[in-house]
Amino acid sequence: MSAIGLGGAVAWQAEAAGPAQPAPVGAGPGGLAVAGPPALAALPAGAAVPTGTALAARLDQIVQGPAGTQIAAAVTDVATGRLVYGRSQTLLMPPASTIKIATAVAALERMPGTTRFATTVVQAPGTDRIVLVGGGDVTLSSNGASPDPDFQPTLLQTLVDQTAAALKAAGRTSVSVGYDDSAFAAPAQAASWSSSYTNGDIAPVHALEVDEGRTDPLSTYSAREPNPALSAAQLFAQRLAADGITVTGAVTATAAPTEATAAAAPGRTTPAGSAKPLARVFSPPLDELIDHMLTVSDDDVAEALGHLTARAAGQPASFTGATTSTAAELQQLGLGPDAVQLYDNSGLSHQDRITPAGLTTLLTQVAGPGHPELRDIVGGLPIAGFTGTLGTRFTGPASAGVGLVRAKTGTLTGVNTEAGLVEDADGRLLAFAVMATGAADAEGQLDQFAAALAGCGCR
């Protein structure tokens, strides 16, 4: 079963799926193995765990920084869960976008990877008003474009066409249009965010958005609409008119009929005289949303997933509910307040904190055999020199890591972070996190750190 957002409630959709299977080991660019239980069970003969002394000899020189720079790091052997290298590994550091790993973990601990989120159109009986209801799919697209070639968003036009067809079949050619984005609660921006973020980093967080609120859908860092829900509904109304349905009056916020939400639950029939959904489309599944979020570091998806995790946990779908719910899921995996402190789910807040050891703990859970529900996260981590935010990195002294490192990056003013997975020269799968503050640009150092692990037997 998978949760589907509809109005202010959570409805459910049955998914046709067989028994859960462990993720296969697949070769990526450069021969990178996708971590999974088979890989852990097939360590090469003599694949000794690297020693702290040998790792320190190789890594300490890389993480030296100029005055005013602070670098903390941790390396954990995935098969044993043992910390094999640490440098201020329990120090709370700003994670920037590496916190999206935690967002992904919390979402998959609370919801199945097959979960899809609905955008719905309903009409109350006896009225000519239809209501566009957002369920948290901020990737709903006006044109199908995406900066991630492996991600295919759902098209707004599909919902428009379904709606126009349903209205024409009922003999209705004129309607007024409202919208309901009450599935997410105010405020639409975290209190600790810079006001400049909506100039290109992220839209105000609403349960109804098209193109993640971009004013230019084809520009990744386009300025964002001040009210993405209203803009989405206005575009829906314009396209509905182009499909031959006359739209009267202004598009306004309207509470969706509650009966329509109740009737969407399985095993229930629509009460006599209540509203019926005219049309509905679903987001890509949660595991694909997570892959996309991690690959291109999508802040809008991260915040939507935080809010949706809160709803699934029975908490308010707000920033407070999202961070509280995420922290609760992480605590179940061993990360308490001494290891992680959240103010958002994207890492845009300079107040977020996590320890390097906390990140490697999460990555060990992701890649190890104990939590197969988290395995999809591995596939979303960018591959050094090939995909996502690592596509143009690992050059020069770090080039030995090309194709061998999977990692999530993080960048804020004065903050550079990197956390991921790498197989060393002996075949041990290692989880690493390296985090720097105070440097103008420490990306090269972080890449060298990961590349050094890839080439290390270090016994």
Side-chain angles (χ1 to χ4, degrees):
M1 306 291 285
S2 58
I4 301 164
L6 174 62
V10 176
W12 294 89
Q13 177 195 27
E15 296 283 349
Q21 299 294 325
V25 179
L32 178 68
V34 178
L40 295 178
L43 284 169
V49 180
T51 67
T53 301
L55 280 173
R58 191 175 185 95
L59 300 176
D60 281 352
Q61 59 183 333
I62 297 174
V63 294
Q64 299 299 323
T69 300
Q70 186 170 40
I71 301 179
V75 180
T76 299
D77 177 59
V78 171
T80 63
R82 187 178 115 201
L83 185 78
V84 293
Y85 173 83
R87 176 190 173 94
S88 302
Q89 69 270 16
T90 60
L91 183 66
L92 285 162
M93 297 281 285
S97 282
T98 57
I99 206 63
K100 291 181 174 75
I101 297 169
T103 297
V105 165
L108 285 171
E109 284 294 284
R110 180 53 62 175
M111 298 176 283
T114 53
T115 305
R116 297 173 182 263
F117 307 100
T119 308
T120 307
V121 179
V122 298
Q123 180 178 11
T127 76
D128 67 352
R129 191 159 187 79
I130 62 173
V131 183
L132 179 62
V133 184
D137 177 16
V138 299
T139 68
L140 189 66
S141 176
S142 66
N143 55 27
S146 171
D148 180 355
D150 294 322
F151 181 72
Q152 183 58 61
T154 299
L155 289 171
L156 173 68
Q157 190 63 45
T158 302
L159 186 65
V160 171
D161 293 344
Q162 288 181 14
T163 304
L167 290 170
K168 291 173 183 177
R172 188 178 293 275
T173 58
S174 177
V175 295
S176 61
V177 174
Y179 68 93
D180 184 337
D181 67 335
S182 61
F184 290 176
Q189 298 186 55
S192 55
W193 283 359
S194 166
S195 60
S196 67
Y197 283 165
T198 55
N199 292 338
D201 292 298
I202 192 169
V205 181
H206 287 258
L208 175 63
E209 297 185 17
V210 171
D211 301 320
E212 299 183 1
R214 293 182 175 88
T215 56
D216 179 357
L218 298 179
S219 174
T220 300
Y221 296 105
S222 165
R224 307 306 177 94
E225 298 284 357
N227 186 341
L230 173 60
S231 299
Q234 288 173 334
L235 180 58
F236 171 82
Q238 291 169 13
R239 293 199 174 185
L240 193 62
D243 261 13
I245 302 296
T246 299
V247 177
T248 62
V251 174
T252 57
T254 305
T258 55
E259 296 89 344
T261 300
R268 296 190 184 181
T269 57
T270 304
S274 71
K276 293 182 180 180
L278 287 175
R280 180 179 288 155
V281 294
F282 297 98
S283 72
L286 175 60
D287 53 10
E288 292 183 19
L289 291 169
I290 285 173
D291 279 0
H292 170 70
M293 172 188 72
L294 295 173
T295 299
V296 300
S297 202
D298 193 309
D299 295 317
D300 297 271
V301 172
E303 295 302 341
L305 292 184
H307 283 57
L308 290 162
T309 298
R311 287 188 68 203
Q315 297 289 326
S318 62
F319 281 96
T320 299
T323 54
T324 299
S325 299
T326 299
E329 297 297 335
L330 299 182
Q331 188 148 11
Q332 294 296 315
L333 297 175
L335 274 68
D338 58 336
V340 61
Q341 297 168 6
L342 297 177
Y343 290 82
D344 66 10
N345 280 84
S346 61
L348 285 172
S349 174
H350 279 266
Q351 296 182 23
D352 290 330
R353 293 291 184 273
I354 195 168
T355 65
L359 279 169
T360 62
T361 294
L362 289 180
L363 288 162
T364 298
Q365 306 274 19
V366 165
H371 291 272
E373 71 278 7
L374 301 179
R375 200 60 42 74
D376 288 327
I377 292 171
V378 176
L381 296 174
I383 301 173
F386 283 90
T387 61
T389 56
L390 288 184
T392 58
R393 287 176 52 169
F394 282 77
T395 58
S399 60
V402 170
L404 301 176
V405 176
R406 279 189 182 267
K408 181 72 198 77
T409 60
T411 306
L412 290 172
T413 302
V415 176
N416 293 114
T417 58
E418 191 171 317
L421 300 163
V422 61
E423 193 174 279
D424 76 3
D426 284 334
R428 303 295 305 200
L429 184 63
L430 304 176
F432 72 92
V434 57
M435 312 174 78
T437 61
D441 182 4
E443 288 182 354
Q445 274 181 280
L446 308 191
D447 293 349
Q448 287 181 54
F449 183 96
L453 289 172
C456 186
C458 299
R459 290 182 266 171

